[in-house]
Amino acid sequence: MSESATGDAHRGAGDDAGRADAAGRVARDADQVAAGAGDGTRAVRAGLPEPAKHEPPLPGPVFAAHYHLPGEPTGPYTYGRDENPTWTLLERAVGELEAPGQDGVETLVFASGMAATSAVLFSQLRAGDVCVLPDDGYQALPLVRAQLEAYGIEVRTAPTRDDAQLDVLDGAKLLWIETPSNPGLDVCDIRRLAEAAHARGALVAVDNTLATPLGQRPLELGADLAVASGTKQLTGHGDLLLGYVVGRNAEAMTAVRRWRKIVGAIPGPMEAWLAHRSIATLQMRVDRQSATALAVAEALRERPEVTGLRYPGLPGDPAHKIAAQQMRRYGCVVSFTLPTRARADRFLDALRLVDDATSFGGVRSTAERRGRWGGDAVPEGFIRLSVGAEDPEDLVADVLRALDASAA
């Protein structure tokens, strides 16, 4: 490392002031835009710098490991593992989407969603602490649990559905919520869980990956931290890995920032720039994908071979009532089960407009038999379908045709 611990301590106050000054200069009338604009306007304008003659509206990526730094090491940009102007713009953009018009909110971007998740959990918990996780969340959470327990942290789990995590909250230091859950698409009441956790002195973090900031805003619902993989629908093109943490608890965010510095789990400037560019179309993509996902779910509901159909936006879905209270859009993922593993494999092979691939949220539809990975408590014929931006009638027709073809 090129800077010493003494140097880090020496410039701490100057860095904080410099970051505040830089953030204040990033966007023209950003607070007014964030507070009063619609989602599409906000997404298109998010994080843009003050216009300057002969300069692009969104500056290109800044590739720098170090910066000119004569004299005392103060100011916003000193070393490439700590800050980057391209990150600054992206962080401002994400913050304007996750917490429009809110004061005292900080955003930090990471190299991946798991880097962001790890930063929150491992920066907040110590040996002897208690953490509550969902037992039906993202596939990597069991790996995280094992590592937390290896560090002497007690981990309790409960399902997302029916706010079951309430039953294991006593004595917890941190509650981790994933709603909708991946891949089962259960939903919990963020407000209720956050109030209960805070009453017990626990910090609340919400994985907002599947919903995106246009689907729900966890900080407005009482959470302390919103965490997400920007790899998915936020950026939506399947061409980069990214994660972020947004929080209004200053002490917690300071610890998250320190963890990022120690571990070095930072995004490349090109990835950060691509992410910011992609956010401009977020509202158009999310609206199209959500509407088409509902159309696909409605079509699947009529098929006798389909069981366990889940989509939070579908009236009659077990999660719909709570989802309608806290979500503004219901996401792009539909899950369902076909009778056998062989039937599911034939269905996936028969699709023509849907790629057999993992991940979700991209403009090109994807689907997979989720059980092939192991780790998810799902039937062998369970399908997770991520709806893209194709014409709705074309995608529905392809899904129904593949179901027919797979019956033989």
Side-chain angles (χ1 to χ4, degrees):
M1 292 188 294
S2 66
E3 69 265 51
S4 66
T6 302
D8 285 346
H10 178 69
R11 70 165 185 271
D15 278 358
D16 289 342
R19 280 194 292 267
D21 289 343
R25 294 193 303 268
V26 164
R28 178 183 56 184
D29 299 324
D31 291 338
Q32 294 179 8
V33 171
D39 285 342
T41 301
R42 188 179 297 114
V44 168
R45 305 296 307 174
L48 296 184
E50 184 75 20
K53 189 174 182 179
H54 306 308
E55 294 295 326
L58 178 62
V62 175
F63 298 96
H66 59 268
Y67 305 86
H68 289 295
L69 198 64
E72 296 299 320
T74 59
Y77 305 113
T78 56
Y79 185 64
R81 193 182 68 253
D82 297 327
E83 292 290 346
N84 179 288
T86 309
W87 302 353
T88 300
L89 298 179
L90 174 60
E91 288 170 344
R92 182 60 182 259
V94 172
E96 288 172 13
L97 295 176
E98 284 279 2
Q102 294 189 41
D103 295 327
V105 173
E106 183 178 3
T107 303
L108 295 170
V109 291
F110 288 81
S112 69
M114 281 308 300
T117 296
S118 299
V120 170
L121 293 171
F122 291 105
S123 71
Q124 305 303 315
L125 298 168
R126 302 289 183 271
D129 288 341
V130 175
C131 175
V132 175
L133 300 177
D135 66 8
D136 55 350
Y138 181 53
Q139 184 191 42
L141 285 182
L143 299 176
V144 174
R145 175 180 183 171
Q147 192 61 56
L148 289 170
E149 291 174 338
Y151 290 156
I153 297 162
E154 179 185 345
V155 179
R156 302 171 186 164
T157 63
T160 298
R161 189 173 182 177
D162 298 326
D163 300 339
Q165 289 173 296
L166 287 172
D167 297 334
V168 293
L169 268 180
D170 287 348
K173 175 74 175 297
L174 187 147
L175 168 63
W176 183 274
I177 297 170
E178 184 179 310
T179 180
S181 62
N182 173 29
L185 302 182
D186 274 319
V187 171
C188 61
D189 188 331
I190 296 175
R191 288 188 184 90
R192 183 185 182 202
L193 285 165
E195 288 173 2
H198 289 155
R200 292 164 172 80
L203 198 69
V204 178
V206 175
D207 185 334
N208 204 33
T209 302
L210 204 147
T212 81
L214 299 194
Q216 67 190 10
R217 297 179 189 137
L219 269 60
E220 291 182 358
L221 297 170
D224 301 294
L225 303 166
V227 187
S229 168
T231 308
K232 310 299 194 296
Q233 197 172 20
L234 182 81
T235 57
H237 291 79
D239 54 7
L240 61 91
L241 297 179
L242 191 86
Y244 68 81
V245 180
V246 181
R248 58 185 172 193
N249 183 306
E251 182 179 358
M253 289 303 292
T254 296
V256 172
R257 179 183 286 274
R258 181 174 181 271
W259 180 266
R260 184 179 71 172
K261 177 183 177 68
I262 293 170
V263 176
I266 58 173
M270 191 67 194
E271 286 79 6
W273 183 86
L274 285 169
H276 197 170
R277 174 216 60 177
S278 299
I279 284 174
T281 62
L282 179 61
Q283 183 260 348
M284 292 182 284
R285 290 185 282 107
V286 168
D287 281 354
R288 175 63 168 262
Q289 290 169 276
S290 297
T292 306
L294 179 59
V296 169
E298 289 172 339
L300 289 170
R301 186 171 52 182
E302 305 302 319
R303 299 291 300 215
E305 68 269 51
V306 169
T307 60
L309 175 66
R310 298 301 305 271
Y311 182 65
L314 189 66
D317 185 276
H320 183 70
K321 182 178 179 181
I322 296 175
Q325 294 171 359
Q326 66 188 23
M327 298 183 73
R328 296 175 296 125
R329 296 169 177 85
Y330 298 106
C332 63
V333 175
V334 178
S335 67
F336 58 96
T337 300
L338 293 176
T340 65
R341 172 177 178 170
R343 178 71 185 274
D345 286 338
R346 291 197 303 269
F347 167 73
L348 293 169
D349 187 60
L351 291 166
R352 295 295 174 262
L353 298 180
V354 182
D355 296 333
D356 191 339
T358 194
S359 198
F360 58 85
V363 292
R364 288 172 289 278
S365 293
T366 60
E368 68 173 336
R369 190 180 62 79
R370 192 63 186 167
R372 65 182 177 174
W373 296 102
D376 288 317
V378 296
E380 284 290 332
F382 180 93
I383 300 292
R384 186 182 70 182
L385 171 63
S386 173
V387 173
E390 297 88 358
D391 287 322
E393 58 272 19
D394 292 338
L395 188 59
V396 170
D398 189 47
V399 168
L400 296 180
R401 183 197 53 76
L403 283 174
D404 290 338
S406 65

